[in-house]
Amino acid sequence: MPAVPPDSAAAAAPLLTREQVLRALRQVAREGRPLPPGTVYELVYRGRRYPPRAVAELAYRLATGNPAAHWPRAAGAPTNALLESLDFTISTKRPVLTSGSGPDGEETARQQAEDLYTGLPKEDPEAPVTGRPASATQAAEPTAPYAPPAYSRADALAELFIDAPSLDAALAGLTRRRNLLLQGPPGTGKTFLARRLAWLLLGAQDERRVELVQFHPSYGYEDFMLGFRPDAEGRFHLVPGVLPLLCQRAAADPERPYFLLIDEVNRGNVPRIFGELLLLLEADKRGPAHALRLPYAPPEMPRFFVPDNLYVIGTLNLADRSLAPLDYALRRRFAFVQLQPQFGEPLRAHLAAQGVPAPLIERLCTRMKALNQTIADDPELGPDFEIGHSYFCQPPKNEPAEAWLRLVLEQEIGPLLGDYWREQPAIAAGQLRKLLA
């Protein structure tokens, strides 16, 4: 039998499908296997680079079931043309590090940005192979079945130190505006309540649909929305922040609510961090009809929007003198709930259940109420500087309650009072003596 010419053998070889190449990429990512480096060209996919012929050969072996099979096409144009026909990008390999400029850098940035926008997720080389495309909901769910514990209004009232009307009012504000800010003195359980409100609307303690971030002076638009960041090789890529990734998950699962919890909202530069979100947060500006183009996004990319099933709950500390007042443009987009220190019956019952003696509970609650009244009446301080109940919610079971309370007052409340009355240390010392007497 005459030998078949190499070109004819290549032409007769079965063509790979895109799914077979993706399967090879998944295996490379999963096993971290080294591939022989390409010399001239690279396959660029989701911000990573692979040698084209080595990927094609691995895909060919997986497709044929023969681990020793040789890819019949030569490196370079024959292999690259086939991969490009499957919608993969082949770029020229550069011998130096780049910062994202040039054709391959632009392509990397474009592909990184594909994950930014809401809608159906793209193929993931690290996703498990199921033999069929994953639905939007499946892409956001863990592979193992998980049933989070149920959470009801009765559960919330049992562990929150607020009454039923206050809880219902907070839920109503969140439902109406989609955005809620919990503000109050330090130690009033703002973050604790924020998470419970999310659980109530979810009906379960489902952390898969709750994302928590904390603002701080170094937190910026690039962390929250979109920006360029270097990879391990020094190349800069367009990387989505916390919000777009959460919006993508929420848009792919529109029947269930998703929550973004922002701790210490006013500790960051809110207008700079939020950017376009100042407009898109409004309850009547949700959905694709109000989508905007983000500044760094390539022109061919879809516009960004906030889905209707995303809720934002923030906490606001008004007692920090170093923080600027909250931007009024942001205030108009949130409902506000004021939290107060709770040294009444719910805290008394909680401490009694923890084994704290009744006389000690009475002394604690009475004296903290008196201290907060003094703070509220001080013209240099005011109600925003009152001290919350969360300092006293976790009495230890393995030490005397009297010793625990004294340490909390000396090590936590005392230094706070010293900061409040920094220019009048005698007042701070006098108030601490009254607590310890």
Side-chain angles (χ1 to χ4, degrees):
M1 180 179 295
V4 180
D7 289 345
S8 300
L15 295 178
L16 294 173
T17 66
R18 180 176 174 85
E19 178 55 38
Q20 289 167 343
V21 177
L22 287 174
R23 183 183 176 193
L25 294 175
R26 294 186 189 106
Q27 182 165 322
V28 171
R30 184 171 60 250
E31 299 178 357
R33 65 162 63 190
L35 295 176
T39 56
V40 180
Y41 301 101
E42 291 179 311
L43 186 156
V44 182
Y45 185 74
R46 295 176 68 88
R48 300 183 182 180
R49 289 170 166 74
Y50 306 87
R53 191 180 187 282
V55 170
E57 185 166 78
L58 177 59
Y60 186 67
R61 291 175 176 178
L62 294 174
T64 60
N66 181 5
H70 293 286
W71 176 241
R73 295 198 173 188
T79 295
N80 295 345
L82 181 141
L83 292 173
E84 287 177 333
S85 71
L86 301 177
D87 293 330
F88 289 101
T89 299
I90 305 298
S91 68
T92 303
K93 185 176 181 179
R94 295 191 170 191
V96 297
L97 297 178
T98 69
S99 60
S101 60
D104 57 337
E106 293 173 359
E107 178 61 27
T108 299
R110 183 188 70 79
Q111 293 182 351
Q112 288 280 347
E114 286 181 1
D115 292 334
L116 170 66
Y117 301 93
T118 55
L120 294 178
K122 305 295 182 183
E123 302 118 323
D124 188 348
E126 299 183 16
V129 179
T130 60
R132 57 184 177 84
S135 68
T137 303
Q138 290 170 335
E141 295 292 331
T143 55
Y146 170 69
Y151 194 79
S152 66
R153 184 171 177 272
D155 296 326
L157 291 174
E159 62 176 346
L160 295 172
F161 298 150
I162 61 175
D163 55 25
S166 299
L167 178 61
D168 293 340
L171 284 172
L174 178 59
T175 304
R176 182 182 71 255
R177 298 290 293 168
R178 298 289 195 277
N179 311 308
L180 186 71
L181 274 178
L182 306 175
Q183 63 180 16
T188 48
K190 298 181 288 293
T191 306
F192 189 85
L193 174 60
R195 193 176 294 275
R196 270 67 190 171
L197 291 175
W199 288 352
L200 276 175
L201 289 188
L202 287 168
Q205 301 176 36
D206 192 352
E207 292 299 325
R208 297 169 300 177
R209 295 177 180 85
V210 179
E211 191 76 39
L212 174 65
V213 298
Q214 185 179 64
F215 283 0
H216 51 78
S218 297
Y219 202 82
Y221 181 90
E222 296 79 9
D223 305 297
F224 192 62
M225 295 291 289
L226 175 66
F228 285 93
R229 298 180 192 172
D231 61 15
E233 298 178 346
R235 298 184 179 95
F236 281 81
H237 307 298
L238 194 61
V239 178
V242 173
L243 179 68
L245 295 176
L246 183 60
C247 286
Q248 184 185 45
R249 291 165 52 199
D253 188 14
E255 299 302 319
R256 289 180 287 192
Y258 282 71
F259 294 86
L260 175 64
L261 309 185
I262 306 176
D263 196 32
E264 304 283 3
V265 167
N266 55 335
R267 195 168 293 280
N269 186 339
V270 175
R272 181 182 181 276
I273 295 172
F274 273 41
E276 296 80 9
L277 191 61
L278 281 177
L279 172 64
L280 301 179
L281 265 182
E282 294 189 46
D284 59 350
K285 300 294 190 300
R286 302 291 185 92
H290 301 280
L292 296 177
R293 188 173 302 285
L294 299 183
Y296 296 144
E300 69 273 12
M301 288 294 101
R303 301 187 179 206
F304 171 75
F305 65 90
V306 176
D308 193 57
N309 60 328
L310 179 69
Y311 296 79
V312 179
I313 308 176
T315 68
L316 195 62
N317 180 12
L318 302 180
D320 194 328
R321 294 184 176 100
S322 68
L323 302 181
L326 196 64
D327 188 280
Y328 282 105
L330 185 66
R331 282 185 174 274
R332 291 189 291 105
R333 290 160 172 83
F334 280 80
F336 283 75
V337 171
Q338 180 74 31
L339 298 184
Q340 303 290 346
Q342 300 293 329
F343 290 99
E345 187 54 38
L347 178 64
R348 294 170 186 261
H350 173 76
L351 292 177
Q354 301 295 316
V356 180
L360 192 62
I361 296 174
E362 179 64 28
R363 190 169 78 208
L364 164 65
C365 294
T366 301
R367 293 182 181 182
M368 286 304 301
K369 285 182 179 180
L371 172 62
N372 279 335
Q373 188 61 53
T374 301
I375 293 173
D377 293 340
D378 191 310
E380 298 296 325
L381 297 174
D384 290 338
F385 290 81
E386 293 181 15
I387 298 174
H389 51 274
S390 63
Y391 291 95
F392 309 100
C393 289
Q394 300 294 330
K397 299 182 182 298
N398 56 354
E399 68 177 85
E402 184 80 38
W404 158 74
L405 179 58
R406 174 170 289 274
L407 287 177
V408 171
L409 295 176
E410 290 178 345
Q411 297 176 348
E412 301 179 43
I413 306 302
L416 185 59
L417 297 179
D419 185 66
Y420 281 1
W421 284 293
R422 189 176 305 169
E423 306 300 327
Q424 300 171 294
I427 295 180
Q431 293 297 325
L432 181 58
R433 283 196 300 270
K434 289 181 180 179
L435 292 175
L436 294 171

